[in-house]
Amino acid sequence: MKTVSESRMYGGVQGVYTHDSKVCGVPMTFAVYLPPQAKAGRVPCLWYLSGLTCTHENAMTKAGLQAHAAELGLAIVFPDTSPRGEGVANDEAYDLGQGAGFYVNATQDPWAPHFRMEDYVVRELRDLVAASFPVTDSHGITGHSMGGHGALTLAMRHPGHYASLSAFAPIAHPSASDWGRKQLGAYLGPDESLWRGHDAVHLLGDKGWSSDILVDQGLSDQFLDLLKPEALAEALGRTRTPSTVRLQAGYDHSYNFVATFGRDHVEWHAERLK
């Protein structure tokens, strides 16, 4: 692991790092915020997964989560959204390829050699963070848009791995949306039965979630029809999963929306991780 930068922030440290990923086969960049409490001992860890076109930097600079994490004593990890660089497959469209890893392990060419974001986030990067930073074994996960999809699906696909779960405007039902069918078809192939295991609506019935879930969704979100929050709400009710789903009037899909409700989410995780 190499340090790209470290800056003092709210009494803690915001760092950016790179490492050679064996899982993805290329160098990967990620960011970690350590609150001031980390100087005295290990702190719980919140993972923030970003959306389409984003890197580690978008939420790190726009979501404003560090101020809340500093007050409440949480570390925050900001992974990248896909492998990048020369030799990594890409597509002309913004919603496929580099910047659009969808948090799955691709099985289809040309994506399979590098696009293994599920194993990267859940295993390789988690092990690196645990070995390199003063964090406890208590981890939560959240994310926005494609990252909200990733948070929901990775938490349910890996029981016991995360102790708390939330999402901002998640792609909730990708197997029934143009934001999902395109990517799952490309990365996993045409057999739609394989997509089910990466769809939060189906996973709630197939695997479930052992705790409660917080979801915020803006009602002026320009991508509302692609996100399908109504399908997620129906699945949460049908499976009787404890949850708080808030439809926020006037809010769109931007980081202004994420920043507005960011404190609520950091508090949600802090209460459950501590």
Side-chain angles (χ1 to χ4, degrees):
M1 189 180 75
K2 298 179 181 178
T3 300
V4 176
S5 65
E6 288 184 335
S7 301
R8 190 166 178 83
M9 190 176 192
Y10 299 113
V13 175
Q14 178 62 69
V16 178
Y17 311 92
T18 63
H19 72 112
D20 291 329
S21 170
K22 294 181 180 179
V23 168
C24 296
V26 293
M28 297 288 286
T29 303
F30 67 100
V32 176
Y33 176 71
L34 290 177
Q37 295 87 340
K39 299 172 186 176
R42 296 183 179 274
V43 294
C45 187
L46 175 60
W47 291 72
Y48 182 98
L49 305 185
S50 290
L52 290 166
T53 76
C54 291
T55 70
H56 68 281
E57 188 175 22
N58 295 74
M60 182 186 81
T61 59
K62 296 179 180 180
L65 302 180
Q66 294 94 332
H68 316 310
E71 178 184 342
L72 297 167
L74 295 184
I76 306 181
V77 180
F78 303 94
D80 203 346
T81 54
S82 78
R84 301 176 189 271
E86 186 177 352
V88 177
N90 201 12
D91 190 88
E92 293 182 358
Y94 75 93
D95 58 356
L96 187 68
Q98 295 186 35
F102 241 72
Y103 303 102
V104 302
N105 292 332
T107 59
Q108 306 298 302
D109 290 333
W111 315 105
H114 301 292
F115 282 72
R116 303 191 60 80
M117 290 303 295
E118 179 173 8
D119 281 351
Y120 176 70
V121 170
V122 171
R123 297 188 174 89
E124 186 179 40
L125 186 56
R126 175 155 169 157
D127 288 346
L128 179 62
V129 167
S132 305
F133 299 94
V135 298
T136 69
D137 291 333
S138 187
H139 292 239
I141 191 166
T142 188
H144 173 232
S145 193
M146 178 185 73
H149 145 79
L152 293 170
T153 58
L154 295 184
M156 285 185 271
R157 285 174 60 83
H158 299 273
H161 212 67
Y162 303 100
S164 57
L165 173 59
S166 74
F168 301 86
I171 301 174
H173 195 13
S175 65
S177 169
D178 288 342
W179 269 3
R181 294 185 62 82
K182 175 182 179 179
Q183 294 85 353
L184 296 176
Y187 297 142
L188 303 179
D191 183 354
E192 296 189 18
S193 67
L194 300 177
W195 305 356
R196 186 180 181 96
H198 300 276
D199 185 310
V201 168
H202 291 308
L203 281 168
L204 279 166
D206 295 345
K207 289 182 175 291
W209 172 245
S210 59
S211 185
D212 48 5
I213 302 173
L214 171 64
V215 177
D216 273 301
Q217 172 63 62
L219 286 179
S220 294
D221 192 316
Q222 57 271 47
F223 305 113
L224 196 60
D225 290 342
L226 293 167
L227 302 173
K228 299 191 179 300
E230 66 282 358
L232 180 63
E234 188 279 331
L236 288 166
R238 173 169 37 83
T239 58
R240 299 181 180 178
T241 303
S243 53
T244 300
V245 179
R246 306 190 301 189
L247 304 179
Q248 305 289 1
Y251 285 91
D252 60 17
H253 200 68
S254 71
Y255 271 99
N256 297 326
F257 158 69
V258 175
T260 298
F261 300 103
R263 181 179 180 85
D264 293 349
H265 285 250
V266 176
E267 286 184 336
W268 174 276
H269 290 276
E271 291 171 0
R272 287 150 182 80
L273 296 177
K274 291 183 177 182

